[in-house]
Amino acid sequence: MKPKIEDVARLAGVSPTTVSRVLNDRGYISNQTRDKVHDAMTKLNYFPNDVARSLFTKRSNLIGIIMPTTTNPFFGELTFHLENICASLGYKVLLCNSLNQKDKEKKYLDMLMRNQVDGIIVGTHNLGILNYQKQNLAVVSIDRYLSETIPVVSSDNYEGGKLATELLIRKGCKQIVLIDGVKELEKSYKRREAYIDTLVREVKVPIIYEIPEVFNVQKQQEIIENIFSEHPEADGIFATNDIFAASYITAAKRHGKKIPEDVKIVGYDGTETVRTVLPELTTIRQPIELIAKEAINILLREIEGEFTDFPHETKLPISLLEGSTT
Ligand code: RIB
């Protein structure tokens, strides 16, 4: 049987109230008493019950994180940083992979609410999930607009799209293709807007390929394959994430295209993982750790009841990492 607070008190020779005061760091307790309680806890292998404590403090110290999938290196690294920061602040994390499925996301949201999380960080889409907007729920979104009121933290997507497109133009590309996710899901994506604006300014025609099921590798490859038959003249590719860019590079090699001589490629994200396996990829690097820090900062303020004093959108600076694909 698991030891109880009374067992600790008996072994330490103090009252259960004293044990509870030691655990919650309340009131004056001599060092000698504190040591006795901690010794008894160690001997009995006793761990305080966080669930019981949360009933008393009205805080669960739990943060829910909903990501599309942590198999994508961007979301994997983002989750790593979020969890790390949460742990350093004494928060535990409940992690949910929604796979961009509305039903799954709704169920996870309900589950998080039932577990009385103190706040939620969302890196996925909402498509009509209104629960996020209810009550004074502390929610911060990363890269997606959930509502008029929920704060969004992202990198400067417009600037990133502009930088990528301008680089390809500067390098002499005449037919620049954009490989992107589905527009409706990616409402906060200004990358596409910047690509279109920049090309139109240069009197060039945008050519956009949309990948509807971003986590279906086969679908992704099929769509990328179409670029070679429908636009064999394409000599520049801006992929709005590095995974799309990597898939394109594999296909281009199969088609005997030389990179960067025949076609130049710019990706987006610049995760450590992709930089390790594909260091030659020119990409727009997102400040992932900073995004995580900023999202948690805002969430903590919301948890403290502050819902008005921060901007709806926080855009963090991107940087260009130039490799040999351009
Ligand atoms: O790679 C995943 C993409 O979706 C990233 O570019 C990120 O910004 C996210 O929203």
Side-chain angles (χ1 to χ4, degrees):
M1 247 209 342
K2 279 189 192 160
K4 295 203 268 309
I5 198 164
E6 289 76 13
D7 302 320
V8 177
R10 205 170 306 116
L11 188 64
V14 298
S15 70
T17 315
T18 304
V19 178
S20 154
R21 281 167 56 205
V22 171
L23 293 175
N24 293 303
D25 209 13
R26 266 185 294 116
Y28 172 76
I29 308 274
S30 72
N31 284 342
Q32 198 192 8
T33 306
R34 204 178 290 278
D35 289 348
K36 275 199 288 187
V37 170
H38 283 299
D39 283 350
M41 282 168 59
T42 312
K43 279 190 193 127
L44 293 170
N45 200 22
Y46 171 84
F47 290 93
N49 183 334
D50 278 0
V51 178
R53 193 189 314 203
S54 71
L55 292 175
F56 175 75
T57 58
K58 304 268 181 287
R59 285 275 172 88
S60 62
N61 275 18
L62 281 173
I63 302 287
I65 298 183
I66 311 183
M67 289 291 154
T69 170
T70 46
T71 60
N72 174 299
F74 173 82
F75 295 115
E77 288 179 22
L78 181 62
T79 304
F80 163 78
H81 289 298
L82 287 170
E83 195 274 335
N84 224 359
I85 302 168
C86 283
S88 73
L89 297 169
Y91 284 95
K92 292 161 287 181
V93 157
L94 285 181
L95 174 63
C96 312
N97 282 290
S98 76
L99 302 179
N100 276 351
Q101 291 167 15
K102 189 174 161 186
D103 282 358
K104 222 165 183 244
E105 189 176 342
K106 264 184 162 169
K107 277 191 193 141
Y108 274 139
L109 187 56
D110 289 354
M111 181 277 282
L112 294 176
M113 301 301 283
R114 282 199 306 274
N115 278 279
Q116 313 298 322
V117 291
D118 292 336
I120 301 179
I121 303 226
V122 192
T124 190
H125 73 90
N126 67 326
L127 281 186
I129 298 183
L130 297 173
N131 289 357
Y132 287 121
Q133 300 166 42
K134 290 201 181 131
Q135 317 108 27
N136 282 346
L137 178 64
V139 182
V140 175
S141 168
I142 292 179
D143 237 5
R144 311 282 193 275
Y145 285 112
L146 294 185
S147 81
E148 305 276 291
T149 50
I150 294 174
V152 187
V153 179
S154 66
S155 68
D156 191 339
N157 287 305
Y158 191 90
E159 189 57 27
K162 186 165 164 259
L163 218 61
T165 317
E166 283 177 350
L167 175 70
L168 290 168
I169 293 173
R170 226 175 28 247
K171 295 274 178 171
C173 298
K174 304 271 178 287
Q175 302 281 339
I176 303 172
V177 169
L178 179 82
I179 308 178
D180 198 8
V182 179
K183 198 164 175 232
E184 300 84 73
L185 295 189
E186 319 297 329
K187 287 191 208 137
S188 71
Y189 278 4
K190 298 277 180 195
R191 300 171 201 173
R192 182 189 295 210
E193 212 176 302
Y195 157 83
I196 296 173
D197 291 352
T198 312
L199 282 193
V200 168
R201 255 199 314 274
E202 295 287 322
V203 206
K204 291 189 192 300
V205 184
I207 306 165
I208 300 175
Y209 278 78
E210 267 188 2
I211 304 208
E213 295 169 52
V214 282
F215 306 124
N216 181 335
V217 180
Q218 204 188 326
K219 266 272 151 51
Q220 190 178 295
Q221 285 166 353
E222 276 166 29
I223 291 168
I224 286 176
E225 201 50 44
N226 292 340
I227 303 176
F228 296 91
S229 50
E230 294 167 2
H231 287 282
E233 76 289 2
D235 58 358
I237 300 287
F238 170 30
T240 61
N241 73 52
D242 289 341
I243 302 299
F244 294 165
S247 286
Y248 179 87
I249 289 175
T250 309
K253 284 183 181 157
R254 220 179 23 249
H255 282 268
K257 298 253 182 202
K258 285 201 230 84
I259 303 165
E261 294 82 355
D262 301 334
V263 60
K264 304 190 193 323
I265 302 144
V266 183
Y268 206 102
D269 287 348
T271 57
E272 280 185 27
T273 314
V274 174
R275 275 155 55 207
T276 307
V277 294
L278 207 60
E280 67 272 31
L281 178 65
T282 295
T283 189
I284 304 295
R285 182 179 169 273
Q286 302 206 58
I288 302 179
E289 186 173 359
L290 202 61
I291 293 176
K293 277 189 186 149
E294 198 51 37
I296 301 272
N297 274 345
I298 297 175
L299 193 75
L300 292 180
R301 285 162 64 191
E302 288 186 332
I303 291 172
E304 292 306 325
E306 205 184 302
F307 278 92
T308 46
D309 260 1
F310 30 74
H312 180 237
E313 219 181 323
T314 306
K315 283 188 221 156
L316 299 167
I318 41 82
S319 50
L320 172 68
L321 300 180
E322 260 196 274
S324 58
T325 60
T326 46

